[in-house]
Coordinates of all heavy atoms in Angstrom, one line a residue:
M1128 N 16.0 11.4 -2.5 CA 17.3 11.5 -3.2 C 18.3 10.5 -2.6 O 18.3 10.3 -1.4 CB 17.8 13.0 -3.1 CG 19.1 13.2 -3.9 SD 19.4 15.0 -4.1 CE 19.4 15.6 -2.4
L1129 N 19.1 9.9 -3.5 CA 20.0 8.8 -3.1 C 21.4 9.2 -3.2 O 21.8 10.3 -3.7 CB 19.7 7.6 -3.9 CG 18.2 7.1 -3.9 CD1 18.0 6.0 -4.9 CD2 17.8 6.7 -2.5
A1130 N 22.3 8.3 -2.8 CA 23.8 8.6 -2.8 C 24.5 7.4 -3.5 O 24.1 6.3 -3.4 CB 24.3 8.8 -1.4
I1136 N 36.2 10.8 1.1 CA 35.4 12.0 1.3 C 35.8 13.1 0.4 O 36.9 13.5 0.4 CB 35.5 12.4 2.8 CG1 35.1 11.3 3.8 CG2 34.6 13.7 3.0 CD1 35.3 11.7 5.2
P1137 N 34.9 13.5 -0.5 CA 35.3 14.6 -1.5 C 35.3 15.9 -0.8 O 34.6 16.2 0.2 CB 34.1 14.5 -2.5 CG 33.0 13.9 -1.7 CD 33.5 13.0 -0.7
D1139 N 35.1 20.2 -0.2 CA 34.2 21.4 -0.5 C 32.8 21.0 -0.7 O 32.1 21.4 -1.6 CB 34.7 22.0 -1.8 CG 36.2 22.5 -1.8 OD1 36.6 22.9 -0.7 OD2 36.9 22.3 -2.8
M1140 N 32.3 20.3 0.3 CA 30.9 19.9 0.3 C 30.2 20.0 1.7 O 30.9 20.4 2.6 CB 30.7 18.4 -0.2 CG 31.1 18.2 -1.6 SD 30.4 16.7 -2.3 CE 30.9 16.8 -4.0
H1141 N 29.0 19.7 1.7 CA 28.2 19.7 3.0 C 28.2 18.2 3.5 O 27.9 17.3 2.7 CB 26.7 20.1 2.7 CG 25.8 19.9 3.8 ND1 25.3 20.9 4.6 CD2 25.1 18.7 4.2 CE1 24.5 20.4 5.5 NE2 24.3 19.1 5.2
Y1142 N 28.6 18.0 4.7 CA 28.8 16.7 5.2 C 27.9 16.4 6.4 O 27.6 17.2 7.3 CB 30.3 16.5 5.7 CG 31.3 16.9 4.7 CD1 32.0 18.1 4.8 CD2 31.6 16.1 3.6 CE1 33.0 18.5 3.9 CE2 32.5 16.5 2.6 CZ 33.2 17.7 2.8 OH 34.1 18.0 1.9
E1143 N 27.4 15.1 6.4 CA 26.6 14.6 7.5 C 27.0 13.2 7.8 O 27.6 12.5 7.0 CB 25.1 14.7 7.1 CG 24.5 16.0 6.8 CD 23.1 16.0 6.2 OE1 22.5 14.9 6.2 OE2 22.6 17.0 5.7
A1144 N 26.6 12.7 9.0 CA 26.8 11.3 9.3 C 25.8 10.5 8.5 O 24.7 11.0 8.1 CB 26.6 11.1 10.8
K1145 N 26.1 9.3 8.2 CA 25.2 8.4 7.5 C 24.5 7.5 8.5 O 25.1 6.7 9.2 CB 25.9 7.5 6.5 CG 25.0 6.7 5.6 CD 25.8 5.8 4.6 CE 24.8 5.1 3.7 NZ 23.9 4.2 4.5
W1146 N 23.2 7.8 8.6 CA 22.4 7.1 9.7 C 22.0 5.7 9.2 O 21.6 5.5 8.0 CB 21.2 8.0 10.0 CG 21.6 9.3 10.5 CD1 21.9 10.4 9.8 CD2 21.9 9.6 11.9 NE1 22.3 11.4 10.6 CE2 22.3 11.0 11.9 CE3 21.8 8.9 13.1 CZ2 22.6 11.6 13.1 CZ3 22.1 9.5 14.3 CH2 22.6 10.9 14.3
D1147 N 22.0 4.8 10.1 CA 21.6 3.4 9.8 C 20.2 3.1 10.4 O 20.1 2.5 11.5 CB 22.6 2.4 10.4 CG 22.4 1.0 9.9 OD1 21.8 0.8 8.8 OD2 22.9 0.1 10.5
R1150 N 14.9 5.1 6.1 CA 14.8 6.4 5.4 C 13.3 6.8 5.4 O 12.4 5.9 5.1 CB 15.3 6.3 4.0 CG 15.3 7.6 3.3 CD 16.5 8.5 3.7 NE 16.5 9.7 2.9 CZ 17.2 9.8 1.8 NH1 17.9 8.7 1.3 NH2 17.3 10.9 1.1
D1192 N 12.8 15.3 4.9 CA 13.5 14.0 4.7 C 14.4 13.7 5.8 O 15.0 14.6 6.4 CB 14.3 14.2 3.4 CG 14.9 12.9 2.9 OD1 14.6 11.8 3.5 OD2 15.6 12.9 1.9
G1193 N 14.4 12.4 6.2 CA 15.3 12.1 7.4 C 15.3 10.6 7.6 O 15.0 9.8 6.7
E1194 N 15.7 10.2 8.8 CA 15.8 8.8 9.1 C 15.1 8.5 10.4 O 15.3 9.2 11.4 CB 17.3 8.5 9.3 CG 17.7 7.0 9.1 CD 18.2 6.7 7.7 OE1 18.2 7.6 6.8 OE2 18.5 5.5 7.5
F1230 N 13.3 10.5 15.2 CA 13.5 11.0 13.8 C 14.6 12.0 13.7 O 14.6 13.0 14.4 CB 12.1 11.6 13.3 CG 12.2 12.1 11.9 CD1 12.2 11.2 10.8 CD2 12.2 13.5 11.6 CE1 12.3 11.6 9.5 CE2 12.2 13.9 10.3 CZ 12.3 13.0 9.2
V1231 N 15.5 11.7 12.8 CA 16.7 12.6 12.5 C 16.4 13.3 11.2 O 16.5 12.7 10.1 CB 18.0 11.9 12.6 CG1 19.1 12.9 12.4 CG2 18.2 11.1 13.9
A1232 N 16.1 14.6 11.2 CA 15.8 15.3 10.0 C 17.1 15.9 9.3 O 17.9 16.4 10.0 CB 14.8 16.5 10.3
F1233 N 17.2 15.7 8.0 CA 18.4 16.3 7.3 C 18.1 17.0 6.1 O 19.0 17.5 5.4 CB 19.5 15.2 7.1 CG 19.0 13.9 6.5 CD1 18.5 13.8 5.2 CD2 19.1 12.8 7.3 CE1 18.1 12.6 4.7 CE2 18.7 11.5 6.7 CZ 18.2 11.5 5.5
D1234 N 16.8 17.2 5.7 CA 16.5 18.0 4.5 C 15.0 18.4 4.6 O 14.2 17.8 5.3 CB 16.7 17.2 3.2 CG 17.1 18.1 2.1 OD1 16.8 19.3 2.1 OD2 17.8 17.6 1.1
L1235 N 14.7 19.6 4.0 CA 13.4 20.2 4.0 C 13.0 20.3 2.6 O 13.6 21.0 1.8 CB 13.5 21.5 4.7 CG 12.2 22.3 4.9 CD1 11.2 21.4 5.8 CD2 12.4 23.6 5.6
L1236 N 11.8 19.7 2.2 CA 11.4 19.7 0.8 C 10.2 20.7 0.6 O 10.0 21.1 -0.6 CB 10.9 18.3 0.5 CG 11.9 17.2 0.1 CD1 12.9 16.9 1.3 CD2 11.3 15.9 -0.3
P1247 N 18.6 25.6 -3.5 CA 19.9 25.0 -3.2 C 20.0 24.4 -1.8 O 19.3 24.9 -0.9 CB 20.9 26.2 -3.4 CG 20.2 27.1 -4.3 CD 18.8 27.0 -4.0
L1248 N 20.8 23.4 -1.7 CA 20.9 22.7 -0.4 C 21.3 23.6 0.8 O 20.7 23.5 1.8 CB 22.0 21.6 -0.5 CG 22.4 21.0 0.8 CD1 21.3 20.1 1.4 CD2 23.7 20.1 0.7
T1249 N 22.2 24.6 0.6 CA 22.6 25.4 1.7 C 21.4 26.2 2.2 O 21.2 26.4 3.4 CB 23.7 26.4 1.3 OG1 23.3 27.0 0.1 CG2 25.0 25.6 1.1
D1250 N 20.5 26.7 1.3 CA 19.3 27.4 1.7 C 18.3 26.5 2.4 O 17.7 26.9 3.4 CB 18.7 28.1 0.5 CG 19.6 29.2 -0.1 OD1 20.5 29.7 0.7 OD2 19.5 29.6 -1.3
R1251 N 18.1 25.3 1.9 CA 17.2 24.4 2.5 C 17.7 24.0 3.9 O 16.9 23.9 4.8 CB 17.1 23.1 1.7 CG 16.5 23.2 0.3 CD 16.0 21.9 -0.3 NE 16.9 20.8 -0.2 CZ 17.8 20.5 -1.1 NH1 18.0 21.3 -2.2 NH2 18.6 19.5 -1.0
R1252 N 19.0 23.9 4.1 CA 19.5 23.6 5.4 C 19.3 24.7 6.4 O 18.9 24.5 7.5 CB 21.1 23.3 5.3 CG 21.8 23.1 6.6 CD 21.4 21.8 7.3 NE 22.0 21.7 8.6 CZ 21.9 20.6 9.4 NH1 21.4 19.5 8.9 NH2 22.4 20.7 10.6
D1253 N 19.4 26.0 6.0 CA 19.1 27.1 6.8 C 17.7 27.1 7.2 O 17.3 27.3 8.4 CB 19.5 28.4 6.1 CG 21.0 28.6 6.0 OD1 21.8 27.9 6.7 OD2 21.4 29.5 5.2
L1255 N 15.7 24.5 7.4 CA 15.5 23.4 8.2 C 15.9 23.7 9.7 O 15.1 23.4 10.6 CB 16.3 22.1 7.7 CG 16.2 20.9 8.6 CD1 14.8 20.3 8.7 CD2 17.2 19.9 8.1
T1256 N 17.1 24.2 9.9 CA 17.5 24.5 11.2 C 16.7 25.5 11.9 O 16.5 25.5 13.1 CB 19.0 24.9 11.2 OG1 19.2 26.0 10.3 CG2 19.9 23.7 10.7
H1267 N 15.2 15.3 16.0 CA 16.5 15.9 16.0 C 16.8 16.5 14.6 O 16.3 16.0 13.6 CB 17.5 14.9 16.4 CG 17.3 14.1 17.6 ND1 17.8 14.5 18.8 CD2 16.6 13.0 17.9 CE1 17.4 13.7 19.8 NE2 16.7 12.7 19.2
V1268 N 17.7 17.4 14.6 CA 18.3 17.9 13.3 C 19.7 17.2 13.2 O 20.5 17.2 14.1 CB 18.5 19.4 13.3 CG1 19.1 19.9 12.0 CG2 17.1 20.1 13.5
A1269 N 19.9 16.6 12.1 CA 21.2 15.9 11.8 C 22.3 16.9 11.9 O 22.3 17.9 11.3 CB 21.2 15.2 10.5
P1270 N 23.4 16.6 12.7 CA 24.6 17.5 12.7 C 25.2 17.5 11.3 O 25.1 16.6 10.5 CB 25.5 16.8 13.7 CG 24.6 15.9 14.5 CD 23.5 15.5 13.6
A1271 N 25.7 18.7 10.9 CA 26.3 18.9 9.6 C 27.4 19.9 9.7 O 27.6 20.7 10.6 CB 25.2 19.5 8.6
T1272 N 28.3 19.8 8.7 CA 29.5 20.6 8.7 C 30.0 20.8 7.2 O 29.6 20.0 6.4 CB 30.7 20.0 9.5 OG1 31.8 20.9 9.5 CG2 31.1 18.7 8.9
T1273 N 30.7 21.8 7.0 CA 31.4 22.0 5.7 C 32.9 21.8 5.8 O 33.6 22.0 4.9 CB 31.1 23.4 5.1 OG1 31.4 24.4 6.0 CG2 29.6 23.5 4.7
D1274 N 33.3 21.4 7.0 CA 34.8 21.2 7.3 C 35.1 19.8 7.0 O 34.6 18.9 7.8 CB 35.0 21.6 8.7 CG 36.5 21.6 9.1 OD1 37.3 20.8 8.5 OD2 36.9 22.4 10.0
I1275 N 35.9 19.5 6.1 CA 36.2 18.1 5.7 C 37.0 17.4 6.8 O 36.9 16.2 7.0 CB 37.0 18.1 4.4 CG1 37.1 16.6 3.9 CG2 38.4 18.7 4.5 CD1 37.6 16.5 2.5
D1276 N 37.8 18.2 7.6 CA 38.5 17.6 8.7 C 37.5 17.1 9.8 O 37.7 16.0 10.4 CB 39.5 18.5 9.3 CG 40.7 18.8 8.4 OD1 41.0 17.9 7.6 OD2 41.2 19.9 8.4
V1277 N 36.5 17.8 10.0 CA 35.4 17.4 11.0 C 34.7 16.2 10.4 O 34.5 15.2 11.1 CB 34.4 18.5 11.2 CG1 33.3 18.0 12.1 CG2 35.1 19.7 11.9
A1278 N 34.5 16.2 9.1 CA 33.8 15.0 8.5 C 34.7 13.7 8.6 O 34.2 12.6 8.9 CB 33.5 15.3 7.0
R1279 N 36.0 13.9 8.5 CA 36.9 12.7 8.6 C 36.9 12.2 10.1 O 36.9 11.0 10.3 CB 38.3 13.2 8.2 CG 38.4 13.3 6.7 CD 39.8 14.0 6.4 NE 39.9 14.2 4.9 CZ 40.7 15.1 4.3 NH1 41.4 16.0 5.1 NH2 40.8 15.1 3.0
Q1280 N 36.8 13.2 11.0 CA 36.7 12.8 12.4 C 35.4 12.0 12.7 O 35.4 11.0 13.4 CB 36.8 14.0 13.3 CG 36.8 13.7 14.8 CD 36.9 15.0 15.7 OE1 37.2 16.0 15.1 NE2 36.6 14.8 16.9
W1281 N 34.3 12.5 12.1 CA 33.0 11.8 12.3 C 33.1 10.4 11.7 O 32.6 9.4 12.3 CB 31.9 12.6 11.6 CG 31.5 13.8 12.3 CD1 32.0 14.3 13.5 CD2 30.6 14.8 11.8 NE1 31.3 15.5 13.8 CE2 30.5 15.8 12.7 CE3 29.8 14.9 10.6 CZ2 29.7 17.0 12.6 CZ3 29.0 16.0 10.4 CH2 28.9 17.0 11.4
F1282 N 33.8 10.3 10.6 CA 33.9 9.0 9.9 C 34.6 8.0 10.8 O 34.2 6.8 10.9 CB 34.7 9.1 8.6 CG 34.8 7.9 7.8 CD1 33.7 7.4 7.0 CD2 35.9 7.1 7.8 CE1 33.8 6.3 6.3 CE2 36.0 5.9 7.0 CZ 34.9 5.5 6.3
E1283 N 35.6 8.4 11.5 CA 36.4 7.5 12.4 C 35.6 7.3 13.7 O 35.6 6.2 14.2 CB 37.7 8.1 12.7 CG 38.6 8.3 11.5 CD 38.9 7.0 10.8 OE1 39.0 5.9 11.5 OE2 39.0 7.0 9.6
Y1285 N 32.1 8.1 14.8 CA 30.7 7.8 14.9 C 30.3 6.3 14.7 O 29.2 5.9 15.0 CB 29.9 8.7 13.9 CG 29.8 10.1 14.4 CD1 30.5 10.6 15.5 CD2 29.0 11.0 13.7 CE1 30.4 11.9 15.9 CE2 28.9 12.3 14.0 CZ 29.5 12.8 15.2 OH 29.4 14.1 15.5
E1286 N 31.2 5.6 14.0 CA 30.9 4.2 13.8 C 30.6 3.5 15.1 O 29.8 2.5 15.2 CB 32.0 3.5 13.0 CG 31.6 2.0 12.7 CD 32.8 1.3 12.1 OE1 33.9 1.7 12.2 OE2 32.5 0.2 11.5
L1290 N 26.6 4.3 13.5 CA 26.4 5.0 12.3 C 27.2 4.3 11.2 O 28.1 3.6 11.4 CB 26.7 6.5 12.4 CG 25.6 7.3 13.1 CD1 25.5 7.0 14.5 CD2 25.8 8.8 12.8
D1291 N 26.9 4.7 9.9 CA 27.3 3.9 8.8 C 28.4 4.5 8.0 O 28.9 3.9 7.0 CB 26.0 3.7 7.9 CG 25.9 2.3 7.4 OD1 26.6 1.5 7.8 OD2 25.0 2.1 6.5
G1292 N 28.8 5.7 8.3 CA 29.8 6.4 7.5 C 29.5 7.9 7.4 O 29.0 8.5 8.3
V1293 N 29.8 8.5 6.2 CA 29.5 9.9 6.0 C 28.9 10.1 4.7 O 29.1 9.4 3.7 CB 30.9 10.7 6.0 CG1 30.7 12.1 5.5 CG2 31.4 10.7 7.5
I1294 N 27.9 11.1 4.6 CA 27.3 11.5 3.4 C 27.8 12.9 3.0 O 28.0 13.8 3.8 CB 25.8 11.6 3.6 CG1 25.2 10.2 3.8 CG2 25.1 12.3 2.4 CD1 25.1 9.3 2.6
A1295 N 28.2 13.1 1.7 CA 28.7 14.3 1.2 C 27.7 14.8 0.1 O 27.3 14.1 -0.7 CB 30.1 14.2 0.6
K1296 N 27.3 16.1 0.3 CA 26.3 16.7 -0.7 C 26.9 18.0 -1.3 O 27.4 18.9 -0.5 CB 25.0 17.0 0.1 CG 24.4 15.9 0.8 CD 23.2 16.3 1.6 CE 22.6 15.1 2.4 NZ 21.4 15.6 3.2
P1297 N 26.8 18.2 -2.6 CA 27.2 19.4 -3.2 C 26.4 20.6 -2.6 O 25.2 20.5 -2.4 CB 26.9 19.2 -4.7 CG 27.0 17.8 -4.9 CD 26.5 17.2 -3.6
L1298 N 27.1 21.7 -2.3 CA 26.4 22.8 -1.6 C 25.2 23.4 -2.4 O 24.3 23.9 -1.8 CB 27.5 23.9 -1.4 CG 28.6 23.5 -0.5 CD1 29.7 24.6 -0.4 CD2 28.2 23.2 0.9
L1300 N 23.2 21.7 -4.4 CA 22.4 20.6 -4.9 C 20.9 20.9 -4.7 O 20.5 21.2 -3.6 CB 22.8 19.3 -4.2 CG 22.1 18.1 -4.6 CD1 22.4 17.7 -6.0 CD2 22.4 16.9 -3.6
Y1302 N 17.0 19.3 -4.8 CA 16.5 17.9 -4.4 C 16.0 17.2 -5.6 O 15.0 17.5 -6.2 CB 15.4 18.1 -3.3 CG 15.1 16.8 -2.6 CD1 15.8 16.5 -1.4 CD2 14.2 15.8 -3.1 CE1 15.6 15.4 -0.7 CE2 14.0 14.7 -2.4 CZ 14.7 14.4 -1.2 OH 14.5 13.2 -0.6
M1309 N 24.0 12.4 -4.4 CA 24.9 12.6 -3.2 C 26.0 11.6 -3.3 O 26.0 10.7 -4.1 CB 24.1 12.6 -1.9 CG 22.9 13.5 -1.9 SD 21.9 13.4 -0.4 CE 21.3 11.7 -0.4
F1310 N 26.9 11.6 -2.3 CA 28.0 10.7 -2.2 C 28.0 10.1 -0.8 O 27.8 10.8 0.2 CB 29.3 11.4 -2.5 CG 29.3 12.1 -3.8 CD1 29.0 13.4 -3.9 CD2 29.6 11.4 -5.0 CE1 29.0 14.1 -5.1 CE2 29.6 12.1 -6.2 CZ 29.3 13.4 -6.2
K1311 N 28.2 8.8 -0.7 CA 28.4 8.1 0.6 C 29.7 7.4 0.7 O 30.2 6.8 -0.3 CB 27.2 7.1 0.8 CG 27.1 6.0 -0.3 CD 25.9 5.1 0.0 CE 25.8 4.0 -1.1 NZ 24.5 3.2 -0.9
I1312 N 30.3 7.6 1.8 CA 31.6 7.0 2.1 C 31.4 6.1 3.3 O 31.0 6.5 4.4 CB 32.7 8.1 2.4 CG1 32.7 9.1 1.3 CG2 34.0 7.4 2.6 CD1 31.8 10.3 1.5
K1313 N 31.6 4.8 3.1 CA 31.3 3.8 4.2 C 32.6 3.0 4.5 O 33.5 2.9 3.8 CB 30.3 2.8 3.7 CG 28.9 3.4 3.3 CD 27.9 2.4 2.7 CE 27.5 1.4 3.7 NZ 26.4 0.6 3.2
H1314 N 32.6 2.5 5.7 CA 33.7 1.7 6.2 C 33.8 0.4 5.4 O 32.7 -0.2 5.1 CB 33.6 1.4 7.7 CG 33.6 2.7 8.6 ND1 34.8 3.2 9.0 CD2 32.6 3.5 9.0 CE1 34.5 4.3 9.7 NE2 33.2 4.5 9.7
I1467 N 26.3 12.7 19.7 CA 26.1 13.1 18.4 C 24.9 14.0 18.3 O 24.9 15.1 17.6 CB 26.0 11.9 17.4 CG1 27.2 11.0 17.5 CG2 25.7 12.3 16.0 CD1 27.1 9.7 16.8
L1468 N 23.8 13.5 18.9 CA 22.5 14.2 18.8 C 22.3 15.3 19.8 O 21.4 16.1 19.7 CB 21.4 13.2 19.0 CG 21.3 12.2 17.8 CD1 20.2 11.2 18.1 CD2 21.0 12.9 16.5

Side-chain angles (χ1 to χ4, degrees):
M1128 184 163 56
L1129 305 174
I1136 301 176
D1139 304 322
M1140 291 199 178
H1141 168 101
Y1142 308 106
E1143 299 168 9
K1145 186 178 184 302
W1146 299 88
D1147 190 22
R1150 185 76 175 273
D1192 189 1
E1194 200 97 358
F1230 179 71
V1231 183
F1233 46 67
D1234 212 335
L1235 185 61
L1236 281 61
L1248 171 67
T1249 50
D1250 295 337
R1251 295 201 310 273
R1252 174 72 188 187
D1253 288 344
L1255 173 67
T1256 55
H1267 307 269
V1268 179
T1272 183
T1273 55
D1274 188 330
I1275 193 170
D1276 291 330
V1277 173
R1279 288 168 178 155
Q1280 181 180 349
W1281 288 354
F1282 184 78
E1283 297 301 327
Y1285 283 7
E1286 186 187 15
L1290 278 75
D1291 225 5
V1293 167
I1294 293 288
K1296 307 177 182 179
L1298 298 172
L1300 182 65
Y1302 196 91
M1309 306 181 292
F1310 305 94
K1311 57 185 177 183
I1312 307 90
K1313 300 175 67 174
H1314 296 272
I1467 302 172
L1468 294 175

